[in-house]
Amino acid sequence: MTKKTEISMSEYFDALERIKERIAQAQRQVMTIANVERNVLFWNIGNVILEYSQWGNKFVETLSKDLRMTYPNREGYSVRNLNYMKQFAHRIPSEEILHQGGAKISWRAIKLLIDKTDNLEEQCGIHSNVWKTDGLVQYFHIR
């Protein structure tokens, strides 16, 4: 059997497209995993804030300051965002429910759902499989 030493342009482009699709698929999987881990982290932070909510806003303000000093190159630890984490944890009562939908959508979408809906648990489950963040933004701006 002779070894093929040349590849046609169409074979090359087929191989290139297969590789590009695999790269894109891996990137989507990484982003989904990163979203899930970030949302679980934010939900857990929110639960800690709820646990110490009797200390009031000063706790969240001090926590925000300390987290931003500890992680200066990371965003997401503003007072406002920490309060979103608190609401997220309050409105999603268990990690099991979190993983049923809310863990897979973007944090931006979760914040939008917190602002625009009364039933976050239900909405996260619906929207995690249906819409991207831009679709949610458009949906809620129309309503």
Side-chain angles (χ1 to χ4, degrees):
M1 178 182 255
T2 60
K3 188 174 180 180
K4 191 173 179 181
T5 58
E6 290 187 23
I7 187 170
S8 72
M9 288 300 273
S10 67
E11 288 175 307
Y12 170 77
F13 286 119
D14 286 345
L16 176 63
E17 286 305 313
R18 285 184 19 225
I19 290 169
K20 287 168 40 178
E21 179 54 37
R22 287 184 181 163
I23 291 169
Q25 181 183 20
Q27 288 173 330
R28 286 189 299 272
Q29 288 173 335
V30 166
M31 290 303 297
T32 299
I33 291 167
N35 273 345
V36 168
E37 291 302 316
R38 186 212 43 240
N39 292 346
V40 170
L41 170 66
F42 284 1
W43 182 82
N44 280 303
I45 291 170
N47 275 309
V48 172
I49 294 169
L50 284 171
E51 184 180 339
Y52 295 102
S53 61
Q54 75 273 11
W55 292 346
N57 284 339
K58 268 297 193 202
F59 173 66
V60 174
E61 291 169 10
T62 304
L63 183 63
S64 173
K65 179 182 159 199
D66 288 338
L67 288 172
R68 286 182 291 141
M69 284 176 39
T70 304
Y71 304 104
N73 297 324
R74 297 207 180 104
E75 295 181 6
Y77 301 116
S78 66
V79 170
R80 183 174 183 203
N81 213 44
L82 291 175
N83 281 319
Y84 273 116
M85 292 176 206
K86 178 182 172 183
Q87 290 179 58
F88 184 43
H90 177 71
R91 293 173 68 181
I92 300 291
S94 73
E95 195 166 344
E96 179 182 332
I97 292 169
L98 173 65
H99 281 286
Q100 290 174 2
K104 294 179 182 172
I105 62 177
S106 74
W107 182 242
R108 181 176 173 221
I110 290 170
K111 292 189 305 185
L112 179 66
L113 290 170
I114 288 169
D115 288 341
K116 300 289 185 178
T117 67
D118 292 328
N119 190 339
L120 182 64
E121 177 183 336
E122 178 182 316
Q123 294 299 320
C124 281
I126 291 169
H127 299 307
S128 68
N129 295 319
V130 179
W131 293 330
K132 301 272 187 217
T133 303
D134 292 340
L136 286 173
V137 170
Q138 185 177 17
Y139 174 78
F140 285 114
H141 281 290
I142 290 171
R143 297 184 113 216

